[in-house]
Amino acid sequence: MPKVLSYAKGSIIFFEGDRDERVYILQSGSIVLTQTDMETGNQISEVVNVGEFFGVKSALARKPKMETANVVTDTQVVQMSVMEFEKIFGSNQAVILKMLKVFSKSLRQIHRKTETVLKTDAISFPPEIGMLIVAKCFFDEQRYNSCCSVCNKLITKFPNASNVDTAKKLLSQADTQAKRQAVSKSKIDTMARVAATTEDSNALKQFDLPMFERFSKTYSDGDVIISEFEPGDCFYLIQSGQVQLGKCIKGTMKNLDILKPGEFFGEMAILDNSPRSATCIAKGNVKCLEFNKENFKVLITGNPQIAMILLKLFCKRIYDQHRRFRILVIKDMQARIADVFLMCDDMLAPEERGTDGSNRRKFFLTIGDVAHWAGISVDEARDELSKFSAKHKIDMFDDFMIVQNIQEMKRIVDTYFSTHEKRSLKSS
């Protein structure tokens, strides 16, 4: 049963980094959530209003707390387990939709920060103009199938746009080149070798029912499922295959992420009516479930257990994006690449780490993989990895790398952030 707990002024309900899989509701008093800004090292604050939930993201994602809950005045809170939260609020459509929109806003903020760190132009184009820029980006990179996908989307959705003739001409050129281009399969990305989490597996089981077959869509390698700038009217859950998330930055398609079965994408646009902020490309054959705004609401109303799964997936996505954003804000390249290895280690299943307690790790990473997770060029990644190799800290092979001591990578990253925090304190 949920408990009502009292806290005196000056108390701490939980600290940032604590593993506390409980959900809280502020019943009376005042609470301020504080967390460390990854870019500046400064503290940022958020006031919790009476009746609001807090600690939800970490509890549902089963991750450490992202903030510290500070008691400002004598306070009473309702504390409950995740199971109790699901039982009481899982079928409450209004609560679930509100949380999804709040979490969507959090994801949007992380994406904007990522754009800033990656130094994107962040220019707002009309959809048809932006989509043509994306199509040309693919054409220039000789990714002709993807170029054709975006052109077809533009022509279909904006048949009267002033640049349709240009899009048709580009489509014709790309189609010709695509037919000439030899088909070659890409190597399986390292993250595909990481087993899906239990939550993801459960999500797939819940959606693997005949009632969902009508939502099923299939895509071939290089197909653009969502184009950046495109109006958003649906979102997708991956059933099989991988989806590459990218963003057109100064004429180059920058890889942002790779999603695997059990993960979803396109959810932000459907919840806040905004244009697509990234391009989603099929890597190999992909099968997805496609949900639009109308059947999404029907879906979560009639299936509270599925609504809760979506909520948990949102929470997990927020943590994953935070984790990847942390890599990008590290200015020291050696520490940044060390953190890429730490992120990959976090995603390994326990059995993949070995049972002998060894700190030695084998990651199915290429230099290109490290480059895109670190947000740097392949040449930069090669240079930095060579420094690690020269010190015998890693061994590099064609399609995998061996880190001799993962704790050494952790020490490098911890030292960086410790030094970074000290500098922030001095400057403040």
Side-chain angles (χ1 to χ4, degrees), residues 16-289:
E16 183 177 354
D18 283 355
R19 287 192 173 272
D20 179 2
E21 294 183 9
R22 290 172 292 185
V23 176
Y24 299 84
I25 304 174
L26 178 58
Q27 194 172 58
S28 65
S30 302
I31 289 176
V32 172
L33 303 177
T34 59
Q35 61 178 306
T36 305
D37 186 280
M38 288 185 285
E39 289 181 275
T40 65
N42 297 329
Q43 291 290 306
I44 54 179
S45 302
E46 177 187 354
V47 176
V48 179
N49 297 314
V50 172
E52 288 185 341
F53 293 89
F54 60 100
V56 178
K57 292 193 292 288
S58 55
L60 296 186
R62 295 183 175 178
K63 297 288 185 178
K65 295 297 186 188
M66 297 176 68
E67 61 278 307
T68 298
N70 305 274
V71 179
V72 180
T73 63
D74 291 350
T75 292
Q76 282 193 326
V77 301
V78 178
Q79 178 197 83
M80 66 189 76
S81 66
V82 170
M83 187 178 296
E84 289 166 341
F85 171 79
E86 291 183 29
K87 185 176 180 180
I88 297 170
F89 298 101
S91 59
N92 190 319
Q93 182 188 9
V95 169
I96 297 299
L97 278 175
K98 183 177 180 180
M99 285 190 172
L100 286 173
K101 288 180 179 179
V102 169
F103 295 162
S104 173
K105 184 178 178 181
S106 296
L107 277 171
R108 179 76 58 188
Q109 289 171 343
I110 297 171
H111 278 290
R112 285 171 180 161
K113 286 185 177 182
T114 301
E115 289 175 0
T116 301
V117 171
L118 290 174
K119 295 180 172 59
T120 67
D121 293 332
I123 299 173
S124 178
F125 293 106
E128 66 276 14
I129 301 298
M131 291 175 71
L132 186 60
I133 291 172
V134 172
K136 288 179 177 177
C137 179
F138 280 125
F139 188 89
D140 292 342
E141 294 184 0
Q142 299 181 16
R143 297 166 70 176
Y144 301 116
N145 287 335
S146 299
C147 177
C148 289
S149 289
V150 178
C151 286
N152 278 320
K153 281 177 174 289
L154 193 162
I155 294 167
T156 301
K157 294 198 173 188
F158 303 98
N160 299 317
S162 60
N163 62 353
V164 162
D165 288 341
T166 303
K168 288 180 178 178
K169 183 178 179 180
L170 183 62
L171 173 61
S172 177
Q173 294 173 335
D175 185 58
T176 300
Q177 292 295 336
K179 290 174 181 176
R180 293 176 181 172
Q181 194 176 54
V183 178
S184 60
K185 292 186 177 181
S186 302
K187 292 181 180 179
I188 297 175
D189 188 89
T190 179
M191 306 319 285
R193 306 197 185 197
V194 178
T197 65
T198 301
E199 293 292 344
D200 294 340
S201 299
N202 287 339
L204 288 176
K205 289 177 183 177
Q206 290 285 347
F207 287 102
D208 191 21
L209 297 171
M211 64 177 287
F212 293 112
E213 192 59 34
R214 68 183 187 275
F215 302 121
S216 181
K217 300 283 184 180
T218 57
Y219 301 91
S220 300
D221 185 49
D223 285 352
V224 174
I225 306 170
I226 287 175
S227 171
E228 186 180 356
F229 302 105
E230 182 182 5
D233 56 5
C234 53
F235 77 102
Y236 301 83
L237 176 78
I238 305 171
Q239 289 187 296
S240 63
Q242 297 177 73
V243 174
Q244 174 79 62
L245 268 62
K247 192 168 184 68
C248 186
I249 303 173
K250 296 180 180 178
T252 300
M253 187 56 64
K254 185 76 172 180
N255 293 333
L256 298 178
D257 205 350
I258 295 175
L259 305 181
K260 56 186 182 295
E263 295 190 288
F264 60 97
F265 58 96
E267 72 288 341
M268 288 188 292
I270 194 174
L271 290 169
D272 60 16
N273 298 310
S274 57
R276 303 296 192 180
S277 60
T279 298
C280 305
I281 312 113
K283 285 176 63 67
N285 294 324
V286 172
K287 183 178 180 182
C288 295
L289 294 179

Side-chain angles (χ1 to χ4, degrees), residues 182-393:
V183 178
S184 60
K185 292 186 177 181
S186 302
K187 292 181 180 179
I188 297 175
D189 188 89
T190 179
M191 306 319 285
R193 306 197 185 197
V194 178
T197 65
T198 301
E199 293 292 344
D200 294 340
S201 299
N202 287 339
L204 288 176
K205 289 177 183 177
Q206 290 285 347
F207 287 102
D208 191 21
L209 297 171
M211 64 177 287
F212 293 112
E213 192 59 34
R214 68 183 187 275
F215 302 121
S216 181
K217 300 283 184 180
T218 57
Y219 301 91
S220 300
D221 185 49
D223 285 352
V224 174
I225 306 170
I226 287 175
S227 171
E228 186 180 356
F229 302 105
E230 182 182 5
D233 56 5
C234 53
F235 77 102
Y236 301 83
L237 176 78
I238 305 171
Q239 289 187 296
S240 63
Q242 297 177 73
V243 174
Q244 174 79 62
L245 268 62
K247 192 168 184 68
C248 186
I249 303 173
K250 296 180 180 178
T252 300
M253 187 56 64
K254 185 76 172 180
N255 293 333
L256 298 178
D257 205 350
I258 295 175
L259 305 181
K260 56 186 182 295
E263 295 190 288
F264 60 97
F265 58 96
E267 72 288 341
M268 288 188 292
I270 194 174
L271 290 169
D272 60 16
N273 298 310
S274 57
R276 303 296 192 180
S277 60
T279 298
C280 305
I281 312 113
K283 285 176 63 67
N285 294 324
V286 172
K287 183 178 180 182
C288 295
L289 294 179
E290 179 186 85
F291 300 105
N292 59 34
K293 292 181 180 180
E294 289 71 28
N295 59 36
F296 171 66
K297 290 185 179 180
V298 173
L299 176 71
I300 68 169
T301 301
N303 303 275
Q305 73 279 13
I306 290 174
M308 189 55 60
I309 288 172
L310 288 174
L311 197 60
K312 289 179 180 179
L313 288 173
F314 253 96
C315 295
K316 181 179 179 296
R317 173 67 70 80
I318 290 171
Y319 270 89
D320 288 346
Q321 293 301 317
H322 258 281
R323 183 65 187 86
R324 288 155 194 171
F325 178 69
R326 190 182 89 156
I327 292 172
L328 297 178
V329 301
I330 296 176
K331 292 181 172 57
D332 179 82
M333 287 299 104
Q334 288 278 283
R336 184 182 290 195
I337 288 178
D339 207 28
V340 169
F341 289 125
L342 291 181
M343 181 189 72
C344 293
D345 190 53
D346 289 342
M347 298 180 73
L348 288 177
E351 60 270 17
E352 292 179 287
R353 293 193 180 98
T355 56
D356 58 356
S358 172
N359 287 321
R360 194 169 182 265
R361 296 286 190 272
K362 180 178 181 179
F363 298 111
F364 290 95
L365 287 167
T366 65
I367 295 174
D369 295 328
V370 172
H372 98 248
W373 290 119
I376 57 180
S377 70
V378 172
D379 288 340
E380 287 174 314
R382 183 180 291 108
D383 289 344
E384 297 300 331
L385 287 167
S386 296
K387 294 176 185 177
F388 277 119
S389 180
K391 296 177 182 177
H392 306 291
K393 292 182 179 180

